[in-house]
Amino acid sequence: METPLIATPLHNRLREGLARMGVALRSDDWLRARDAGLNPTQMTILEALEGRENGLSVTEIALNLGVSQPSATDSINALERKGYVVKQPVPGDRRAVTVCITDAGRQSFLTGDAVEGAADQAIRALSEAEQADLLISLIKMIRHMQEAGVIPVQRMCASCRYFRPFVHADKTRPHQCDFVNASFGQRDLRIECREHETAPPLSRAATWEAFQGGLSTLHAT
Ligand code: SF4
């Protein structure tokens, strides 16, 4: 019989836990999408387009979804029929289009996004400190997948040209966002920011090193 003394490796159990959360999140996605009159894939496309004035190409949307281009095109066409996105021609390239969210699409997305699911409730049941720690762990995991090329660069502070980590002495607000020219704290780090602009790879690496170094110092004090 398996006991805690001969348990499976910690990283395996974490994956098991994340898989359980994944099930809850998928179920929440269905609820959100249903309230918005969409399916989860369409909802994810609207989420990716929200806040992007210049829209996204079909290739970028497919990368965000982790699906093939034909599959992304089917969902985009369905959203276009509902009037939730528009396709705009790309100057100088007759075959390319940019997909942009419409006001109706934004309203639909916001309706679904307002629904609180079981996973939301579970996250809110954690203490403030636990939530902040979880945020850092998620940022590290997402960044790892991003740099490994498994997922596209995400709109999070860690990859943003405006992010300057641990440049302020104030431990409650050590980071600087140059976009709004303001300091902010660990718990305010973004995973999805509409003002995000991707930093060049070398600069991203240097920022990440500074971020990691700041975290180590923070934990040592
Ligand atoms: S613009 Fe957004 S992603 Fe970039 S540093 Fe500021 S808050 Fe973070």
Side-chain angles (χ1 to χ4, degrees):
M1 180 193 284
E2 188 176 312
T3 74
L5 294 179
I6 49 170
T8 51
L10 178 57
H11 62 88
N12 281 2
R13 281 173 284 134
L14 287 171
R15 179 158 48 77
E16 288 165 359
L18 288 170
R20 303 292 183 280
M21 284 303 292
V23 171
L25 285 165
R26 274 196 294 282
S27 165
D28 289 354
D29 283 349
W30 273 106
L31 284 178
R32 283 201 180 93
R34 190 196 60 193
D35 272 45
L38 304 167
N39 66 36
T41 304
Q42 294 166 354
M43 184 82 182
T44 306
I45 292 175
L46 292 185
E47 185 178 14
L49 293 174
E50 164 64 357
R52 293 190 200 254
E53 264 179 41
N54 299 325
L56 288 172
S57 68
V58 176
T59 307
E60 289 170 324
I61 291 173
L63 268 173
N64 261 287
L65 294 177
V67 299
S68 66
Q69 283 204 37
S71 184
T73 301
D74 285 347
S75 298
I76 292 164
N77 289 342
L79 286 169
E80 190 181 28
R81 286 194 293 276
K82 290 174 195 274
Y84 291 169
V85 300
V86 286
K87 292 183 196 146
Q88 293 172 348
V90 175
D93 187 343
R94 283 192 303 162
R95 292 197 310 170
V97 291
T98 296
V99 183
C100 296
I101 192 168
T102 63
D103 286 344
R106 189 167 296 112
Q107 192 50 51
S108 171
F109 164 71
L110 292 175
T111 301
D113 200 41
V115 175
E116 186 180 60
D120 294 310
Q121 289 167 22
I123 293 166
R124 286 206 299 118
L126 296 173
S127 70
E128 292 277 309
E130 287 168 335
Q131 288 185 34
D133 286 346
L134 181 57
L135 178 63
I136 298 298
S137 297
L138 288 173
I139 287 171
K140 288 183 175 182
M141 290 167 68
I142 293 168
R143 193 254 175 197
H144 183 88
M145 292 190 290
Q146 181 183 283
E147 296 303 313
V150 180
I151 58 172
V153 172
Q154 303 295 301
R155 295 192 291 184
M156 54 184 198
C157 294
S159 58
C160 180
R161 65 184 284 255
Y162 298 117
F163 182 48
R164 291 199 292 124
F166 294 104
V167 292
H168 298 292
D170 182 353
K171 283 184 185 166
T172 63
R173 305 180 72 82
H175 309 307
Q176 170 77 9
C177 170
D178 279 344
F179 183 82
V180 289
N181 192 23
S183 62
F184 65 101
Q186 287 283 87
R187 53 172 299 111
D188 300 314
L189 286 162
R190 303 292 180 88
I191 285 185
E192 180 64 39
C193 173
R194 62 172 60 190
E195 276 76 42
H196 174 274
E197 279 186 36
T198 305
L202 275 180
S203 157
R204 263 197 341 252
T207 299
W208 184 251
E209 208 171 304
F211 182 62
Q212 292 271 65
L215 282 179
S216 305
T217 309
L218 202 64
H219 289 142
T221 53

